[in-house]
Amino acid sequence: MLESFQLPIEPSPPMQSYLHYAFPLSVLMTNPYYTDWILNHFIQMVYDPADTCPYDYHELHYLNWPCLSSAALYPEMIRLLPDAAAHIRACLREGWYCAAWVDCAEVPGTRWYGGEPHVEGLLLYGYGPAGFSAMMYGEHYHSRTVGYAEFLRALQSDHVFRLEFFRANPRCVDYRFLRIQKKLKSYLNSQDYDLDDHKYHNQETIQAYGAEACRRIIPYLQENAGDYIDERWPYVFYEHKKMMMFRIEKITGNGAIPGYPFTAADREQLVRDAHRVLLLCMKYNMNPSSFAASIESACQRVDKVLQQEKEMLEPIIAFDYFSAF
């Protein structure tokens, strides 16, 4: 009988709205060493209506993150493997997680199961006699065993993208207050200021950056009143504010910004307000005709959150790091 093996996994990473962030953070967040890298990133936002993820973080694709080593197999390469499942198990034993972008219409537990062919990701992090242990998105981000027969059907479909193997490495993991400060200023001023060279999104199609990209949720909600709201928008908004408050907590901890006027209670309230935006959109989607007022309330809260966030970031941006030491 096949033995069981599992790599460490964080089942509830800070970002779950898009799998291209949930997967790598499920790996990195198993080790607090990588917290400093996360603090340096996920600050800038973009509104890119030409992209399938129109409201998103302005980051490199995770296979290009310097704190990950990575490799990929494309369909024509996968077909050359005599036993794809055995190959993946061998990689897992060597510490390589596998993000399998396959036809999830074949995979129970995903939101596409039983429907039309659709490529989505499975993060394989272990295996046993019954199949692979995988993180996936169904009604929410969760873990489930994917049987070997089910996985191979998904892998043999014509709708396979690729198998991505990655693992954490300690390169470029540091806390750089001055760089974070510059990024925060760029975010707050809605500037196209890129400290890390090229990013995942196509700059030619980006219509707004930073706080202004966040504010674009308001016209999106207003213009789509009467239709189903894409809940990824308020979900990403909520996650971004959670991460921003976490960042502020770390920056201002132990009196690092003397006289900083905002408290933990202020941060918690902002996160609750951002979460309320998501809940209002979910409520609206349940019955648009009965809950039309939810859209107006959600827009008002977006504006409130962005104003409060601005007030909380301004003392950090204005702080003179060199005169303090």
Side-chain angles (χ1 to χ4, degrees):
M1 180 179 290
L2 187 67
E3 79 283 7
S4 295
F5 176 84
Q6 285 197 356
L7 291 169
I9 200 76
E10 170 50 60
S12 185
M15 280 169 262
Q16 300 175 26
S17 49
Y18 294 140
L19 292 179
H20 56 271
Y21 298 123
F23 285 172
L25 291 180
S26 288
V27 174
L28 293 178
M29 292 299 287
T30 62
N31 187 342
Y33 176 76
Y34 294 96
T35 300
D36 283 349
W37 188 86
I38 294 168
L39 289 175
N40 278 274
H41 293 266
F42 308 109
I43 295 172
Q44 184 63 292
M45 305 297 293
V46 292
Y47 169 58
D48 180 3
D51 198 270
T52 55
C53 303
Y55 174 56
D56 197 4
Y57 301 87
H58 197 29
E59 294 290 335
L60 291 164
H61 187 275
Y62 67 93
L63 293 188
N64 295 317
W65 291 4
C67 56
L68 294 175
S69 296
S70 63
L73 290 178
Y74 291 86
E76 59 272 23
M77 302 165 75
I78 296 169
R79 286 193 289 269
L80 297 176
L81 297 174
D83 187 336
H87 180 81
I88 294 171
R89 288 194 295 265
C91 290
L92 290 168
R93 288 194 299 271
E94 293 298 318
W96 294 91
Y97 295 77
C98 178
W101 297 92
V102 296
D103 182 3
C104 280
E106 301 286 350
V107 182
T110 68
R111 54 187 162 180
W112 305 105
Y113 177 59
E116 293 296 316
H118 188 93
V119 174
E120 193 165 86
L122 307 170
L123 178 60
L124 309 182
Y125 65 92
Y127 61 85
F132 289 112
S133 300
M135 299 300 301
M136 63 183 70
Y137 211 97
E139 293 184 1
H140 54 84
Y141 188 59
H142 70 291
S143 176
R144 182 185 173 99
T145 297
V146 178
Y148 292 118
E150 297 159 348
F151 178 76
L152 290 174
R153 282 199 299 272
L155 190 63
Q156 292 162 359
S157 165
D158 291 335
H159 296 81
V160 172
F161 179 46
R162 64 187 180 191
L163 298 178
E164 298 171 345
F165 297 89
F166 65 93
R167 62 184 178 187
N169 66 55
R171 291 182 297 169
C172 300
V173 178
D174 55 3
Y175 176 80
R176 300 183 183 182
F177 173 77
L178 292 177
R179 173 166 286 196
I180 293 173
Q181 189 182 47
K182 289 179 180 179
K183 287 185 176 184
L184 290 173
K185 183 177 180 180
S186 172
Y187 163 78
L188 203 56
N189 292 334
S190 303
Q191 294 173 331
D192 175 12
Y193 180 56
D194 190 352
L195 287 163
D196 303 313
D197 301 319
H198 68 285
K199 296 291 180 67
Y200 178 59
H201 287 263
N202 185 342
Q203 281 189 303
E204 286 74 18
T205 60
I206 294 173
Q207 291 189 7
Y209 292 85
E212 177 58 28
C214 295
R215 195 172 297 279
R216 291 294 179 96
I217 295 177
I218 294 176
Y220 168 76
L221 294 176
Q222 292 171 335
E223 291 165 9
N224 285 274
D227 297 324
Y228 184 85
I229 297 297
D230 184 346
E231 292 176 7
R232 293 179 304 174
W233 285 61
Y235 202 151
V236 173
F237 182 80
Y238 164 57
E239 288 182 335
H240 183 253
K241 302 318 164 195
K242 276 201 306 182
M243 283 297 297
M244 192 66 84
M245 294 305 103
F246 176 69
R247 184 176 294 107
I248 290 174
E249 175 189 351
K250 296 299 183 183
I251 290 174
T252 61
N254 299 318
I257 308 289
Y260 186 74
F262 297 97
T263 66
D266 295 322
R267 294 193 298 271
E268 291 165 4
Q269 182 60 54
L270 187 143
V271 172
R272 283 195 296 270
D273 286 338
H275 191 219
R276 184 65 178 164
V277 173
L278 172 60
L279 294 177
L280 286 165
C281 292
M282 294 171 68
K283 179 180 179 181
Y284 172 82
N285 277 341
M286 288 189 291
N287 193 334
S289 61
S290 298
F291 299 123
S294 297
I295 296 299
E296 182 179 352
S297 297
C299 292
Q300 291 171 352
R301 285 185 182 268
V302 169
D303 193 61
K304 177 185 176 182
V305 166
L306 292 176
Q307 179 59 36
Q308 183 70 7
E309 179 188 57
K310 178 176 183 290
E311 293 171 5
M312 297 173 80
L313 289 176
E314 284 175 336
I316 296 172
I317 292 170
F319 179 65
D320 187 345
Y321 177 84
F322 293 105
S323 68
F325 297 96

